[in-house]
Amino acid sequence: MAADQHVVAVDVGGTSIKAALVDRDLRAVATLREPTRRNGEVADVGQIAELVNRLAAGHDVVGAGVAVPGIVDDGVGLVRAAVNLGWVDVPLRDEIAAGTDVPLLVRHDVRTGGLAEFTVGAGKGADDALFISVGTGIAAAVHVDGRTLGASGYAGEIGHVVVDPGGAVCGCGTRGCLETLAAAPAFARRYQERTGRTISDAAGVAGLLATDADARAVWQDAVNALATALLDAVTLFGPAIIIIGGGVAEAGETLVGPVREELYSRLRFQRRPEVVRAALGQDAGRVGAALLGWQAAKS
Amino acid sequence: MAADQHVVAVDVGGTSIKAALVDRDLRAVATLREPTRRNGEVADVGQIAELVNRLAAGHDVVGAGVAVPGIVDDGVGLVRAAVNLGWVDVPLRDEIAAGTDVPLLVRHDVRTGGLAEFTVGAGKGADDALFISVGTGIAAAVHVDGRTLGASGYAGEIGHVVVDPGGAVCGCGTRGCLETLAAAPAFARRYQERTGRTISDAAGVAGLLATDADARAVWQDAVNALATALLDAVTLFGPAIIIIGGGVAEAGETLVGPVREELYSRLRFQRRPEVVRAALGQDAGRVGAALLGWQAAKS
């Protein structure tokens, strides 16, 4: 392809939509960010095509990739359910395509991040890898035998694996699933329940680890919960490498180190995976969506 | 291929080796069964090639499939570990090939059974399916996006997912994994621990369900344990169908019915899979090995 060709990478969230014009080297040469536009509760799909068209104007844009949260059938670009966007059974790829001439692919946001980490990030070259995004929610992208699972959209919901059967009830309806202990909001909520003191977020809890036993207890509960769920995944999938990303993983080795240690202490016959922090950090979604855009250009 | 072509299907176990000459319609036209020959603790690989050659003599045999237990790299036919056979890092495909001219493929026994169920059995036509074999051990073959996982050999060890963190220690070293509650030997062991009375096996416990509260408790513990592990698998893999096979599943709906009910009661947002008994029963290994044999013939 010509050197001046570009793609558009779009990351759709419940609060904002981020879009970028990206070159062959996966560098963002222009970016846009807008609050997610809504008609009542329902996010306006038209905004996505508008962003693509605005970034494409005046450039040779050959493809676009769109990352969305929820239960997503990547194969046809169908969003079965996305609570934060008010979407149920939205044929997103077709609806965006009605508003732009740029060829495009749609994929679940965590699988998009996984695509980036497996292709150019920490999992590059690994046949069997697991990317877990620990943020407002928790989900995984699983790469087995050199291919990422989940065309049907139902795989990878590690955030809702039960790790504490007597624990709190999650928004998903499950008691004691991983998100109740290790998703970003759980850190502040559990610290407050324990101490009566408010704290901003997971980073706030991390900042108290040296001096506050309650912060350490909350952190260790999250570490144990992650190790429990990852042990299940290791037993079932056998990845060679586990890549931890998402907002909570911005804590770096403060999170990844204890998770690795706790997981390793529980392994028996299983393969011992590397456990590393995501290489692309907050850029994984954009890089993955750009890779999707280049795929769309070829298809 | 010519109508009179055949393949040899071999199922290698710690106690005996079963082999069959199989036609294009997957019917066994001749069978052999021998005790597993050993040099000390180590099973003799040479016996496998001998069985293939004896069945092939006088027939147009174009391929062979060999199913083996343990940690098996299907891609190259390497047995990383098979406790019951005393094998560690045995390049089984190459070693058998040294003793026969028949092209052959080697695969993990439960993935071989899964191949049969996914191809001509209860999972025929399903893109996303999970086959769980509940026998002396418990393992799964996972079929996602139309392909069976596990080329590296580490996937599918659902028998060692932790379902009862305070429970008994398994031979694998894990406390409270599924096998401690639901593998065939667990039924007799747990019934005896509970009552002081001995009983033959899982079928014996099943036979007492109508009249014996202890038998019911042991059975229900196994059902709950299976539901716990399968819920993890549903959350992580999202299969459209779960196929339950292995010796314990010979109990049919007595096992499958309560597992289905318990699993369904725990689903929240997850896909609701069909839960059915394996269609091929005890023939799954032979049929799968025969399918492998036909694959070997083509490759």
Side-chain angles (χ1 to χ4, degrees):
Chain A
M1 295 179 185
D4 61 348
Q5 288 184 334
H6 289 79
V7 293
V8 173
V10 185
D11 194 351
V12 180
T15 308
S16 67
I17 300 185
K18 295 178 281 187
L21 185 69
V22 178
D23 69 13
R24 287 297 300 177
D25 297 323
L26 302 174
R27 287 176 306 213
V29 297
T31 61
L32 286 173
R33 180 181 187 134
E34 290 185 352
T36 306
R37 207 161 67 202
R38 290 171 185 272
N39 301 319
E41 291 297 303
V42 181
D44 176 11
V45 173
Q47 186 181 13
I48 299 169
E50 286 176 28
L51 285 167
V52 171
N53 291 337
R54 275 166 55 198
L55 282 167
H59 294 276
D60 182 9
V61 167
V62 294
V66 179
V68 288
I71 306 278
V72 183
D73 184 327
D74 296 341
V76 294
L78 168 70
V79 179
R80 295 184 197 278
V83 175
N84 295 338
L85 297 161
W87 292 346
V88 176
D89 289 332
V90 172
L92 188 64
R93 182 180 174 181
D94 291 347
E95 292 196 5
I96 301 172
T100 181
D101 293 331
V102 177
L104 67 107
L105 288 171
V106 165
R107 189 174 287 197
H108 182 255
D109 57 355
V110 174
R111 283 193 293 277
T112 306
L115 174 66
E117 290 288 344
F118 301 147
T119 308
V120 297
K124 187 177 173 181
D127 264 0
D128 300 327
L130 186 146
F131 171 68
I132 181 170
S133 175
V134 186
T136 308
I138 302 178
V142 183
H143 200 66
V144 179
D145 304 340
R147 215 185 43 158
T148 297
L149 307 184
S152 71
Y154 293 102
E157 293 289 348
I158 196 169
H160 303 295
V161 163
V162 176
V163 296
D164 178 23
V169 177
C170 173
C172 81
T174 304
R175 185 175 293 282
C177 64
L178 177 59
E179 287 195 359
T180 64
L181 289 163
F187 288 84
R189 175 179 54 74
R190 299 191 73 245
Y191 183 81
Q192 185 170 357
E193 284 169 3
R194 198 177 169 95
T195 64
R197 298 192 293 275
T198 58
I199 197 160
S200 56
D201 55 10
V205 176
L208 294 177
L209 292 176
T211 56
D212 182 331
D214 289 303
R216 282 197 293 275
V218 167
W219 198 262
Q220 190 60 44
D221 286 346
V223 165
N224 289 344
L226 284 163
T228 299
L230 288 171
L231 180 63
D232 280 354
V234 167
T235 305
L236 289 171
F237 293 117
I241 183 169
I242 292 172
I243 303 159
I244 306 181
V248 177
E250 296 294 300
E253 199 61 16
T254 302
L255 181 74
V256 175
V259 169
R260 182 191 301 116
E261 188 179 340
E262 185 63 32
L263 176 65
Y264 283 4
S265 78
R266 302 188 193 186
L267 294 177
R268 296 296 176 267
F269 64 95
Q270 296 94 337
R271 190 179 201 173
R272 173 182 291 237
E274 278 187 86
V275 180
V276 302
R277 183 181 175 186
L280 299 165
Q282 304 290 355
D283 295 335
R286 191 196 68 228
V287 172
L291 288 166
L292 267 190
W294 289 110
Q295 285 181 19
K298 281 188 275 185
S299 63
Chain B
M1 296 178 182
D4 60 348
Q5 288 183 335
H6 288 78
V7 293
V8 174
V10 185
D11 194 351
V12 180
T15 308
S16 67
I17 300 185
K18 294 179 281 186
L21 184 69
V22 177
D23 69 14
R24 287 296 300 176
D25 297 323
L26 302 175
R27 286 177 305 213
V29 298
T31 60
L32 286 172
R33 181 180 187 134
E34 291 185 351
T36 306
R37 206 161 68 201
R38 290 172 184 272
N39 301 319
E41 291 297 302
V42 180
D44 175 11
V45 173
Q47 185 180 14
I48 299 170
E50 285 176 24
L51 285 167
V52 170
N53 290 337
R54 274 166 56 198
L55 282 167
H59 294 276
D60 182 10
V61 166
V62 294
V66 179
V68 288
I71 306 277
V72 183
D73 185 327
D74 297 340
V76 294
L78 167 71
V79 179
R80 295 185 197 277
V83 174
N84 295 337
L85 297 161
W87 292 346
V88 176
D89 290 331
V90 171
L92 188 64
R93 183 180 172 180
D94 292 346
E95 291 197 6
I96 301 172
T100 181
D101 293 331
V102 177
L104 67 108
L105 289 170
V106 164
R107 187 175 288 199
H108 181 256
D109 56 356
V110 173
R111 284 194 294 276
T112 306
L115 174 66
E117 289 289 343
F118 301 147
T119 308
V120 297
K124 186 177 173 182
D127 264 2
D128 299 326
L130 186 147
F131 171 67
I132 181 171
S133 175
V134 186
T136 308
I138 301 178
V142 184
H143 200 67
V144 179
D145 304 340
R147 217 185 42 158
T148 298
L149 307 183
S152 71
Y154 292 102
E157 294 288 350
I158 196 170
H160 303 295
V161 164
V162 176
V163 296
D164 178 24
V169 176
C170 173
C172 81
T174 304
R175 184 176 293 282
C177 66
L178 178 58
E179 287 195 359
T180 65
L181 289 163
F187 288 84
R189 173 179 55 75
R190 299 191 73 244
Y191 183 80
Q192 183 171 359
E193 283 168 4
R194 198 177 169 95
T195 65
R197 298 192 295 274
T198 58
I199 197 160
S200 56
D201 54 12
V205 175
L208 293 177
L209 292 176
T211 56
D212 182 334
D214 289 304
R216 283 196 293 276
V218 166
W219 198 261
Q220 190 61 43
D221 286 347
V223 164
N224 290 344
L226 284 163
T228 299
L230 288 171
L231 180 65
D232 281 354
V234 167
T235 305
L236 290 171
F237 292 117
I241 183 168
I242 292 172
I243 303 160
I244 306 181
V248 177
E250 296 293 302
E253 200 59 17
T254 302
L255 180 76
V256 174
V259 169
R260 182 191 302 117
E261 189 179 340
E262 185 63 32
L263 176 65
Y264 282 4
S265 78
R266 302 187 193 185
L267 295 177
R268 295 295 176 267
F269 64 95
Q270 295 95 337
R271 189 180 204 173
R272 173 182 290 237
E274 280 188 83
V275 180
V276 302
R277 182 181 175 186
L280 299 165
Q282 305 289 355
D283 295 335
R286 191 195 69 227
V287 172
L291 288 166
L292 268 190
W294 290 110
Q295 285 181 19
K298 282 187 274 185
S299 63

